[in-house]
Each structure stands twice: as C-alpha cells, then as structure tokens.
Amino acid sequence: MSPPLPYRLLSLAVVALLPVLALAQSEDVARSDDLFAKGVALHQAGDLIGAIDSYEGALRITPWRLDARSNLGAALVRLGRYDEAVVEYRQALETDPGQVTIRFNLGLALYKSARIEAAATEFQDVLDNDPSQQAARLLLADCQLQMGENRRVIELLAPLEGELASDRLFAYLLGTALIREDEFQRGQAMIDVLFRDGESAEGHLLLGAQHIRRE
C-alpha cells in the first residue's frame, strides 16, 4: 500500500532539500576558509586589527574552528588584550581539551596578565600531558617562585639540573629558590652559572638576596 500523497510529497521535498543544504554548508566553509586565510596574511603582515576582524568573521560562520580561535587569541595577546585572549583560548579548549599548545598559550596569556595562580594551573596541566614541555616547566617554576612556593620550585627543577644547568633562566629560578630555602651552597653553584660569561643582573640579584639572608 502506497503512503498518502502528502507524506510522499513531504519526503520528496526533504530529499530535494538535502543537496541544497549541503551546498550552502560547503559555501559557508569556503567563505570561512577565505576569511581565515586573509586573517593569517594580515597577521603575518603585522595588521593585527585586520587579522582579528577576519578571524572573528571566520568564527561567526564556523564557530568550531580551533585554528581561527587559536590565532585570534594570539593576535589579542600581541595587542595586550589578555582577558579577551583568555576567553578565546578557553572556548577552544571546551571544543578540544587535549590541545596542549592552546593550553600553553592560555597559561601564557594568564601569566602576562599577572594572573599567576591561574597560569600555574594551566602550565601544570600542560606538563601533566606532556612532560617534555620545558618552556611550560620554567614558566610554572617562575609562577611558583612568585607565589613563594620555593620548595615546589626545587622539586620541579632539581631533577633537570644536569640537563639544563647551563640555562640562565633555569639557574636563576633554581638558584633563587635554593637561597630562599637557605641552601646556600647549591644556590652558589647556580650563581656561578649566571656569572660564567661575565656579570649579569640575575647574578647580582641572587648575590644580594644571599647577603640579606645571611645578615
């Protein structure tokens, strides 16, 4: 028995509509791609405002695009618009929480906006997912140092002393934490790294801190 005529007509209309919808979606994606490509070109040329407009245009069409949202966050950071960048990075992570690079950039935006505790949380998450991320490790150590968590800095960095001992930032962070914890001999070894190629501001800062603590 054939279905009633109105049902058959409705079915035919739906079938006919599907290719039209697919075409419209394809055209939307193409427009989004064009806006994203324009944004990248403007970004690379230093036109950050134009790049932001293009990325936002692409996201209005395809709000799920991680590449456009990540690049938008980066452009906002370049302009010092950290809070807006944080919003974009967090929205990207809602789409895909496993994006380690985006999470690192979120931590960096928080760090640059002096939201140290929040930044530390993100850098720790990066390390939990990828322990090889040394930039995240050093930034986390700096956050911990600013929060007065000297022992945690030592625990975080000391296992890498053989690998990173010649890195000036590593030496400064670990040396500062050691001196604050009254481990002067090990701290002195870090100071020696800072002075190895001549005087440095970091070395003088550590020496001054050591002198004050010994008085």
Side-chain angles (χ1 to χ4, degrees):
M1 179 177 178
S2 299
L5 182 59
Y7 179 83
R8 281 183 287 162
L9 291 175
L10 178 61
S11 299
L12 289 171
V14 171
V15 171
L17 186 60
L18 288 176
V20 176
L21 289 173
L23 178 61
Q25 291 173 347
S26 177
E27 290 176 349
D28 283 347
V29 170
R31 285 172 52 221
S32 176
D33 287 343
D34 288 344
L35 284 166
F36 176 73
K38 180 181 178 182
V40 171
L42 291 170
H43 201 155
Q44 293 174 340
D47 183 356
L48 298 175
I49 298 298
I52 287 170
D53 287 342
S54 293
Y55 294 142
E56 289 177 337
L59 288 167
R60 280 192 291 271
I61 300 169
T62 51
W64 59 85
R65 289 191 71 136
L66 290 180
D67 52 2
R69 202 166 293 282
S70 179
N71 283 14
L72 174 57
L76 290 167
V77 166
R78 287 276 303 277
L79 289 176
R81 293 161 59 178
Y82 303 121
D83 290 344
E84 294 172 72
V86 165
V87 171
E88 297 302 330
Y89 287 138
R90 283 184 168 154
Q91 191 164 342
L93 289 169
E94 287 178 6
T95 303
D96 186 356
Q99 288 287 330
V100 174
T101 299
I102 293 177
R103 191 168 297 281
F104 175 82
N105 288 337
L106 168 60
L108 198 57
L110 291 164
Y111 178 86
K112 289 183 176 182
S113 61
R115 295 156 70 176
I116 300 304
E117 186 174 353
T121 298
E122 300 303 331
F123 293 137
Q124 183 65 67
D125 195 278
V126 170
L127 285 177
D128 289 343
N129 284 279
D130 184 2
S132 69
Q133 292 276 348
Q134 301 296 20
R137 185 177 302 275
L138 292 174
L139 285 165
L140 174 59
D142 189 38
C143 290
Q144 292 171 338
L145 201 64
Q146 292 186 53
M147 293 188 292
E149 298 175 351
N150 306 311
R151 183 52 55 186
R152 294 186 68 183
V153 174
I154 295 168
E155 292 170 356
L156 181 68
L157 297 183
L160 298 176
E161 191 169 348
E163 179 183 347
L164 297 177
S166 61
D167 183 283
R168 293 170 71 88
L169 177 58
F170 176 89
Y172 171 73
L173 294 170
L174 181 55
T176 301
L178 288 167
I179 286 173
R180 287 180 179 178
E181 290 296 300
D182 297 327
E183 296 188 34
F184 297 115
Q185 186 172 357
R186 292 178 67 194
Q188 182 66 52
M190 294 296 101
I191 293 174
D192 291 342
V193 170
L194 295 176
F195 281 115
R196 184 172 296 160
D197 299 319
E199 294 188 358
S200 71
E202 298 95 333
H204 282 295
L205 182 60
L206 278 178
L207 283 176
Q210 186 177 23
H211 177 72
I212 290 170
R213 290 183 67 85
R214 284 181 169 174
E215 286 185 341

